[in-house]
Amino acid sequence: MLAYINRLAWEKTLETGKAHFWSRSRSKLWLKGESSGHIQIIHDILVDCDEDTVVFKVEQLGNAACHTGHRSCFYRKVENDKFIVQGEKVFDPEQVYGKT
Amino acid sequence: MLAYINRLAWEKTLETGKAHFWSRSRSKLWLKGESSGHIQIIHDILVDCDEDTVVFKVEQLGNAACHTGHRSCFYRKVENDKFIVQGEKVFDPEQVYGKT
């Protein structure tokens, strides 16, 4: 998954050892997994050459990071202008998030 | 590495099989490796759940993606508020880019 962090999300991540992001659509701090329980336990943090991007290497609770139920948000491959789904869903989003 | 693409970069990538990005600082199409020779040959493209991010899975010519000479731009690990460099440089940036 790719998500946005700001200083608060960064500090909360370091403080708690759990991945936090900043939800720009909701303008609030977002503990990843706060509704699904699919928390990300930080193992390592890598920082890039120009210091505007980090990689959180995590243990993914629930075995899926994506709100669609897939392990990764990048669950589709581009082939001949089509998206091919790869792998099965780990969970059913309706059961985890409810029918909203 | 993380970089920005626009429609032109996306189309050039699909057309040529080589990773293209859009340089926002230079406002121009950027064939990754155009000055270093460190071209990225596309193997697979993954697309994320909300379709605003892609992963290019590539063969990295020259064995290094980063302008610093490291294999990855994410060559530093965060430990106790310090950045710890991991791994050796694959190339010398001064030799590849010149002393600009």
Side-chain angles (χ1 to χ4, degrees), chain B residues 8 16 30 32-33 38 40 43 50-51 54 64 66 73 76-77 81 90-92 98 100:
Chain B
L8 178 61
T16 62
W30 166 31
K32 166 67 184 167
H38 299 159
Q40 296 178 330
H43 283 198
D50 62 355
E51 300 177 13
V54 291
C66 188
C73 296
R76 294 171 298 177
K77 190 165 149 179
D81 293 334
V90 174
F91 68 83
D92 175 355
T100 53

Side-chain angles (χ1 to χ4, degrees), chain B residues 1 19 24 32 38 40 42-43 51 57 59 64 67 70 72 78-80 86 90 94:
Chain B
M1 63 177 290
R24 286 177 293 184
K32 166 67 184 167
H38 299 159
Q40 296 178 330
I42 300 288
H43 283 198
E51 300 177 13
K57 299 183 83 168
E59 177 191 350
H67 75 287
H70 290 273
S72 165
V78 180
E79 272 184 19
N80 304 318
Q86 315 217 280
V90 174
E94 283 193 1

Side-chain angles (χ1 to χ4, degrees), chain B residues 11-85:
Chain B
E11 288 172 351
K12 282 286 176 187
T13 298
L14 293 181
E15 182 189 319
T16 62
K18 297 173 184 170
H20 287 71
F21 304 101
W22 180 260
S23 169
R24 286 177 293 184
S25 59
R26 292 179 287 142
S27 293
K28 68 186 285 280
L29 185 69
W30 166 31
L31 165 64
K32 166 67 184 167
E34 61 195 3
S35 49
S36 64
H38 299 159
I39 299 284
Q40 296 178 330
I41 309 294
I42 300 288
H43 283 198
D44 282 313
I45 299 179
L46 307 180
V47 60
D48 81 338
C49 50
D50 62 355
E51 300 177 13
D52 63 3
T53 309
V54 291
V55 170
F56 291 160
K57 299 183 83 168
V58 303
E59 177 191 350
Q60 176 63 65
L61 302 191
N63 293 321
C66 188
H67 75 287
T68 62
H70 290 273
R71 175 166 176 73
S72 165
C73 296
F74 297 92
Y75 63 93
R76 294 171 298 177
K77 190 165 149 179
V78 180
E79 272 184 19
N80 304 318
D81 293 334
K82 290 199 177 123
F83 293 166
I84 312 294
V85 173

